[in-house]
Amino acid sequence: MPIQEDRRRQRRRRTVSCRASAGGLLWLPRRHVLAGLGGVAAYPDLASIALEASPVDTCRRGDKVTDKLVECSDPTRGPPCPPPTPTPIVVDFQPEATVKRVRRPAHLLDREHKEKYREAVGKMRALPATHPLSFAAQAAVHEAYCDGHYRYDPAEKNRPFDVHFSWIFAPWHRMYIYFYEKALGQLIGDDTFALPFWNWDAPAGMGIPAIFKDDDSFANPLYDPYRDQTHRDALIDLDYIHSPKDVPPIPFVRTPATAAAYDEAVQKNLCTIYQQQIRGGKGARAYLGEKLCSEASVRVKEMNERSRRRQEDGQQIKPNPTASQGTLERMAHTAVHVWVGRPDPKGGCATLAGGAVLGHDGKPHCGNDMGFLGTAARDPLFYSHHSNVDRMWHLWSTKLGGAAAGFDDPEWLDASFVFYDGVERPRPVRIRFRDVLDTRNLGYTYDDEESEKAALPWLDSRPTRLSPGGSKKGGSSSSRAAAAPPEFPVTLRGGDQAVAVPGVAVPAREAGKELVLVVEGIEYDPRTSNKFDVAINVAGEDALKVGPQCSEYAGSFSAVPSSKADGGTLLGKVSLFVDGVLADLGLGAGGNATVDVVLVPRTAGEVKVFLPPTIQNA
């Protein structure tokens, strides 16, 4: 079977490196880095292909970018790392002349579109893995960029490069599924074929679309056996990592017996999208994430040592700059990945039997396919999921006042990647972020582009107060009286009580800026589902009830499980734009107030936070 063949790919060591000149942001046109799958005689040019950006002297926080080595290397496998081969000829992307493709909800496809979709993916699976537009090759592209196969200065064991966790996320994935969609159309000879989107932001689409589970066998090319089977016919939970795992899922079909729980869950889902798209997505930095900086994060052992010194002599820990996800990435996107993916079996995963995969850390991972970044793109549902993530960005930039779809920083606009186009004669195409800001430039749109509010039920799904008796200056009197400042670092564990940080100053909002709640120095094990919620002025006894449906909810830190090449933990950061939260709590522009910031653990393991939260102007 084609799917089984995908699993049995033989892999061996491959290495590719790239060095940027001094003063360049990692990627310059003279040097090249992987943008496709390589290592095959049939396509010798499937090699190092450029990931580029204009030169820049500093990142936002001043970390100087000089010569940085980026290497795609794995001691045990060939794909996804390509072999060193002569650089192929790369052509620049040319905008499509007309809009030919209209993406529609997967649950509303007519019979003809369903048949075309199955046919196209079936033909893509049937291509040899050596073909750059085969299903195996497309999955490997995502694996290479998303599971730590690229690293800054590997000799120093620096932080891996990843297309997640920064402003790279949305445009890279738009490019990726654009070329995937084009390849599907080419395989069936239909240039109007459009990739359907999984409409999980509307009640009628809050379940796995039938087309992906029809027949539930390898005979259906859209089926993947490595999904959580308990969610096959369940209502999706867009705040899934929050939810207790001993509570059974709610059936997707509403019945009188499930009506109350069903309606509550649907409303929470709608509030999640409202928080993501409107309340927490004010501005490009809030919605799309922060600038990618190549400077490596402080090693965990260094942070522990600096934390000890701070406790001894009062010195402040100053972690190196780390990027931060926007609401588009860290909310529904992450929850859907984890909700769909097969959970780790009880007792862990000690062998590769039963579908486990070898991560870049050299260890087996069972929480796949969608539930693990290294294997996520092996499930056809991934592409329709990301089609809806892309639609969320499209709606944000066209209907919700998004800032011209993104940033006006040339460093972002001119960043580029290379993907393969053309099933018959594959050729590498360089495409820049500025090329993808308008979907019409890519020849597609969404069928609800001109629709009314009925298609977007979350537009008016505002959160409500959880602790209506809380004071405006520091939470409820009971929580404030009982709270004592915690000693950092603090460790957040699933099932533990929330950690309250009282008296966090709210500065006056400066003209042209917004208030941002920043939590830095977050250490976590990437192999498990990691999340903690952040709330403001919530009573202590209510903290574990906080969620996107609550006015006190400021946001979350979350990450799809992945691996790390040399094992150990990763460091992260979260920036939460809180003007909307403060306004709902009656705090206005701040300047003479303090608030209680509450960290609410939702993780399956543990997350350590080295620095206390602060509220800043951004």
Side-chain angles (χ1 to χ4, degrees):
M1 299 293 181
I3 300 177
Q4 293 170 318
E5 291 172 4
D6 291 348
R7 304 285 182 203
R8 294 197 296 264
R9 291 179 295 170
Q10 296 297 315
R11 295 168 172 175
R12 61 188 182 275
R13 181 179 177 85
R14 300 292 184 197
T15 300
V16 169
S17 64
C18 165
R19 183 177 298 277
S21 65
L25 178 67
L26 179 63
W27 324 294
L28 294 175
R30 301 193 306 276
R31 299 290 184 262
H32 302 281
V33 171
L34 170 73
L37 174 69
V40 294
Y43 294 90
D45 59 349
L46 299 183
S48 324
I49 303 180
L51 159 61
E52 305 159 356
S54 294
V56 64
D57 288 333
T58 62
C59 284
R60 174 176 287 116
R61 290 188 165 188
D63 51 323
K64 188 85 172 178
V65 179
T66 58
D67 291 8
K68 297 291 182 181
L69 178 68
V70 176
E71 183 181 79
C72 183
S73 176
D74 192 310
T76 59
R77 295 184 286 180
C81 295
T85 63
T87 302
I89 297 174
V90 180
V91 300
D92 286 323
F93 168 79
Q94 296 298 318
E96 298 202 22
T98 59
V99 175
K100 293 183 178 180
R101 301 183 300 281
V102 180
R103 294 182 180 175
R104 296 183 170 86
H107 69 284
L108 295 180
L109 296 181
D110 58 30
R111 181 176 178 178
E112 180 183 5
H113 200 145
K114 288 180 180 179
E115 290 176 351
K116 286 183 176 181
Y117 194 14
R118 290 193 186 94
E119 179 188 1
V121 174
K123 288 184 174 181
M124 181 176 277
R125 286 193 181 277
L127 290 174
T130 55
H131 192 295
L133 290 169
S134 68
F135 194 81
Q138 291 299 293
V141 170
H142 189 267
E143 179 181 2
Y145 278 120
C146 306
D147 193 31
H149 292 266
Y150 282 104
R151 302 177 65 79
Y152 298 111
D153 195 359
E156 297 297 327
K157 301 298 182 185
N158 282 356
R159 183 184 182 193
F161 168 75
D162 195 319
V163 295
H164 297 83
F165 312 112
S166 76
W167 64 357
I168 300 290
F169 170 77
W172 187 90
H173 282 84
R174 174 170 284 182
M175 295 170 171
Y176 177 45
I177 65 171
Y178 163 72
F179 286 103
Y180 175 84
E181 176 182 68
K182 285 194 69 180
L184 292 178
Q186 292 162 1
L187 284 163
I188 59 174
D190 184 356
D191 63 1
T192 69
F193 176 82
L195 181 68
F197 62 89
W198 180 6
N199 193 195
W200 36 249
D201 61 300
M206 290 181 181
I208 295 176
I211 189 173
F212 291 97
K213 57 187 182 181
D214 286 351
D215 195 19
D216 274 9
S217 72
F218 289 107
N220 177 9
L222 300 179
Y223 173 70
D224 186 287
Y226 301 108
R227 298 175 188 155
D228 188 333
Q229 296 303 311
T230 65
H231 293 158
R232 180 190 182 279
D233 298 308
L235 181 73
I236 199 167
D237 182 352
L238 298 182
D239 190 36
Y240 178 59
I241 307 177
H242 172 150
S243 304
K245 300 304 176 283
D246 57 351
V247 176
I250 299 171
F252 176 66
V253 177
R254 185 179 185 272
T255 66
T258 64
Y262 181 97
D263 293 344
E264 181 180 353
V266 166
Q267 184 57 33
K268 185 181 180 184
N269 283 342
L270 296 177
C271 286
T272 298
I273 303 300
Y274 180 89
Q275 294 272 13
Q276 170 184 299
Q277 297 291 116
I278 300 174
R279 191 176 188 237
K282 300 293 185 182
R285 181 183 170 196
Y287 187 68
L288 296 175
E290 295 195 54
K291 176 182 288 193
L292 174 71
C293 293
S294 65
E295 182 170 296
S297 300
V298 177
R299 297 184 184 93
V300 171
K301 65 179 182 180
E302 293 172 342
M303 292 196 72
N304 282 324
E305 174 61 21
R306 295 173 75 179
S307 177
R308 183 188 63 79
R309 292 201 309 268
R310 182 186 67 83
Q311 294 170 14
E312 291 178 353
D313 57 23
Q315 292 182 5
Q316 184 61 261
I317 304 174
K318 295 180 180 177
N320 284 5
T322 54
S324 180
Q325 302 167 311
T327 58
L328 178 64
E329 179 182 356
R330 60 178 166 77
M331 295 196 69
H333 159 262
T334 294
V336 172
H337 267 280
V338 178
W339 186 85
V340 172
R342 186 181 72 164
D344 282 327
K346 291 183 179 179
C349 178
T351 70
L352 298 182
V357 296
L358 195 67
H360 195 48
D361 56 2
K363 299 177 181 179
H365 292 259
C366 287
N368 53 319
D369 276 352
M370 276 274 283
F372 178 65
L373 285 180
T375 57
R378 298 183 190 183
D379 187 342
L381 189 54
F382 166 91
Y383 301 93
S384 285
H385 167 45
H386 267 277
S387 182
N388 202 37
V389 174
D390 180 75
R391 172 175 163 264
M392 292 291 104
W393 181 21
H394 173 72
L395 291 170
W396 179 82
S397 60
T398 59
K399 287 180 176 290
L400 304 177
F407 302 88
D408 59 6
D409 188 334
E411 180 183 328
W412 186 75
L413 292 168
D414 292 329
S416 67
F417 291 79
V418 175
F419 295 89
Y420 275 87
D421 185 25
V423 170
E424 293 296 327
R425 300 185 64 181
R427 62 174 186 170
V429 177
R430 178 186 296 108
I431 185 168
R432 294 173 172 80
F433 286 4
R434 65 171 69 250
D435 295 326
V436 305
L437 302 185
D438 187 339
T439 65
R440 293 173 297 183
N441 215 31
L442 301 170
Y444 74 88
T445 189
Y446 291 92
D447 73 342
D448 62 359
E449 185 172 10
E450 304 299 330
S451 64
E452 300 299 327
K453 285 185 178 180
L456 305 173
W458 40 265
L459 279 176
D460 296 320
S461 298
R462 296 178 61 89
T464 57
R465 290 291 292 271
L466 174 63
S467 302
S471 73
K472 295 180 180 179
K473 282 212 166 189
S476 71
S477 58
S478 62
S479 67
R480 194 163 173 79
E487 185 174 310
F488 282 80
V490 299
T491 300
L492 306 175
R493 298 182 180 87
D496 282 3
Q497 294 298 307
V499 174
V501 184
V504 177
V506 182
R509 180 153 51 87
E510 299 174 9
K513 296 186 178 181
E514 297 189 39
L515 294 177
V516 182
L517 194 161
V518 179
V519 184
E520 299 185 78
I522 302 169
E523 176 193 345
Y524 64 98
D525 181 348
R527 295 172 299 174
T528 190
S529 301
N530 292 284
K531 183 179 181 182
F532 63 84
D533 291 338
V534 182
I536 291 177
N537 286 9
V538 64
E541 61 271 19
D542 291 336
L544 295 180
K545 303 175 186 176
V546 166
Q549 73 279 16
C550 305
S551 299
E552 295 89 344
Y553 173 86
S556 303
F557 171 82
S558 64
V560 179
S562 62
S563 66
K564 185 181 179 186
D566 54 355
T569 56
L570 292 177
L571 294 173
K573 165 186 155 187
V574 63
S575 300
L576 309 172
F577 284 65
V578 293
D579 278 332
V581 184
L582 297 174
D584 285 351
L585 299 181
L587 289 167
N592 61 353
T594 63
V595 296
D596 288 350
V597 174
V598 184
L599 308 180
V600 187
R602 309 293 189 191
T603 181
E606 68 176 36
V607 175
K608 184 173 288 187
V609 180
F610 281 85
L611 292 177
T614 60
I615 297 178
Q616 311 166 4
N617 276 280

